[in-house]
Amino acid sequence: MPCGNCSYCSKGHDDLCEDFFAYNRAKGTLYDGETRLFLHSSGKPVYMYSMGGLAEYCVVPANGLTILPKSLPYTESAILGCAVFTAYGAMANAAEVRPGDSIAVIGIGGVGSSCLQIARAFGASDIIAVDVQDEKLQKAKIFGATHAINAAKEDAVGKIMTFLQCVQSVKDGGKAVMIGLAQSGSVGEVDINRLVRRKIQIIGSYGGRARQDLPKVVRLAETGVFDLTNAVSRKYTFEESNDAFQDLNKGNIVGRAVIEIM
């Protein structure tokens, strides 16, 4: 939810919004320094990251919104604002995928499976899915993968995929785009000479750019390029929320799951 006014937003880099980190991430508030959530029992304010997960209603700055066409399924469209949005930012803004490019997506979860669909939409030729679960790799072929590698059974780049091996898998002049977050303080090693001599780019991607990218993501779904129905593999009721998080933690969810509030 970009503020639209800081130095980064003014340059179109909504994903680096200074006010977002200063107000929402650091303090758990919206841009007026206040929260809109309060405990029923005491009236005490509740501070939280972002706007309202597992809430029936939430207050959202206009810069973080776009209109959902009536032609799109209401429940399944929930993933457009997170898994698909994050994948679009990585494919369009960081990797800059072009027709004929070859890409590998390591980890075929909610974001990874979305990356496959978007890479296909952008015209990538070889789309390689890498994971350690055969079920996810089978699903990956539906999402657009042309090749699938189980890193637990085959050596994708030597041994089990790590940050270093991901970088090593990139061809000369290629890009390694890091999307997933690691434990705080985690450090990755890089062969500096190869980085320099082979012109390897290592790029971090933290979501998309709401004002520019969110309408584009919706249009991809509206035209059928992005398959929302297949992307959502399971739905939970609100009462099953805890089960949903447990399944997510265990890696039992293939693609994406949605908790239906209403």
Side-chain angles (χ1 to χ4, degrees), residues 34-47:
E34 302 291 339
T35 179
R36 302 301 193 274
L37 303 174
F38 302 89
L39 294 176
H40 283 294
S41 58
S42 62
K44 291 184 178 180
V46 177
Y47 300 96

Side-chain angles (χ1 to χ4, degrees), residues 7-52:
S7 61
Y8 288 107
C9 283
S10 64
K11 297 174 183 177
H13 293 291
D14 294 9
D15 44 343
L16 292 175
C17 175
E18 291 176 310
D19 284 344
F20 173 76
F21 289 99
Y23 283 88
N24 189 254
R25 188 168 185 179
K27 300 178 180 179
T29 71
L30 295 176
Y31 295 138
D32 59 359
E34 302 291 339
T35 179
R36 302 301 193 274
L37 303 174
F38 302 89
L39 294 176
H40 283 294
S41 58
S42 62
K44 291 184 178 180
V46 177
Y47 300 96
M48 66 171 296
Y49 180 55
S50 290
M51 289 75 73

